[in-house]
Amino acid sequence: MEAMVKKAQPVFSTKTCCIYKAPHELRKLNEDAYTPKVVSIGPLHYLGNPRLVTMEAHKQVYCQHLFQRSEASVAELVSCVQELEPQIRACYSEKINLTADELVKVILIDCCFVIELFLEDEWMINDALFSTPWMHALVIINDLILLENQVPFFVIDKIYNLAFASQLNNGGEFSSFMSIAVDSFSYFNKQGLLPPAANSIAHFTDLLRYFYLPPLHRRPSRVSRVIVLGHSASELVEAGVKFMVNESSSSHGCLLDLEFKDGTLRIPHIEVSNITDEIWLRNMVALEQYHYPEEHYITDYVAFFAHILKTSKDTGVLIKAGIIDSISGGNYDSSVANLFGDVGKGPMLANTNVDYLKICDDLNAYYNDPWNNKMATLRRDYFTTPWKTAASIAAIVLLILTVIQTVCSILQVK
C-alpha cells in the first residue's frame, strides 16, 4: 500500500489539461454528439472506431502533400513535435496508451491534415474523397469541433509557422494559422471575431466557444445563484409577455444577448439544425464543465432555454415571433424543445450570469403581477382580431354614451 501511494499521481493537471472526455452524465444522453463520424483527430479516438480507419490513409496523403511544399524538412517537423510531446500529453485528461514515437506520429499527421484541409487547395477540391455524396465540408467541420477530437492549438500553429516561415515573415501569400482557422469556422463566427493570439485558444472547441461569447469587456459578472424561472414561453405569453427578435444583438451577432424591458423579451435569432446545433451546444457545455467551471456562459444560455422551452407549444411561440428558424425544415417544434431540454440535463452550475438572473427575476415578477395578467386577459379575450377589437371599442363607446346620458338625465331632473 505504501509503495502504491508513493507512486500515485494526479490523472491530469488542471493547469495544463484542456482536452477532455465528455462527462458521463452528459455523454450518456447522446453518445453520437461527442463521437467523430468521419475523421479522428488526436489520440482519444485514434483507431478506436472501425468507421474512422478509412480516413487514416487519406490523412497520410494530405500529410505527404504538406511535406512536399513545406520549407522545413520532415526531420525538422518531426523534431518539433518530439520536443512538444510531454506538453501535448499533458493536455489530455485521459491516459494516452501510446509510446512517445506513436503519439508524435499521430499528432504530426493530424496537424498536417488539418492545415491542408484549411488551406483548401485546388488539388483537394478534386480529391475523390470529397466528391462522394456522404462527404462534405460540414461533416468534417462537425468532427473538428468535438471536445474529444482535438489536438492542442499551439502544436498546429507551431507546425504551420515552421512549414511556411518565409511566406509568413516576409509578407508572403500565407495568413496566420489563426486567420485561416477562423475563416474555416466562419459559419459559427457571426460576430466576425479574431482571437488576439494563438496562445489564447486551447483548441477548436475553445475557438468555437470564443465566437459565441461577448467581447471580454462586455461579459457580465457572475454570482453564486442558479436560474429559477417558474414559467415557460407559452405561460409568459398568457401573462402578457411579448417575444421579439433582438435586432440590436443580431447586428453584432452575439447569440447570448437576451434583454427584457417593458414587458418584451428580446432574443437573438436562432437557426436550428438538429445535428449541427446539438453538436456544438453539447460540446461547448462539456468543455465549460471542465475548463470553465466558473465562467460557463454557454451553459447559462442552455439552462435559460431549457426553462422557457418545455413543450412544442413553447417553441411555437418563439417560431411565431421569428426568433427560432430552422435550416432543416419540417415539423421541428418538439425537437427544438427536446434539444435544449436534453443539453440542459446534467451540467453542474457553480454560478450564473447576473444579466440572466435579473431577466428571470423580472419575468417572474411580471408574471405574478395581477395587473399584467388582467391586461393580458383583456387583450386575449377582446382584442385578438380586428372584428373583436371593433366590437369591443363599439361596446366601450356605447357604455360611455349610456353613462353620459344617465348623468345628463339625473342633472335635468334636479
Side-chain angles (χ1 to χ4, degrees), residues 239-255:
V241 175
K242 297 177 183 177
F243 287 79
M244 294 181 63
V245 176
N246 192 346
E247 298 289 354
S248 61
S249 177
S250 297
S251 64
H252 58 73
C254 184
L255 193 68

Side-chain angles (χ1 to χ4, degrees), residues 35-36 41 66 80-81 89 100 121-122 194 221 225 252 314 319 330 371 390:
T35 307
I41 300 294
L66 186 135
C80 172
V81 181
R89 195 178 289 270
D121 285 342
E122 186 177 344
L194 180 67
S221 57
R225 278 179 56 197
H252 58 73
D314 299 319
I319 292 171
W371 174 255

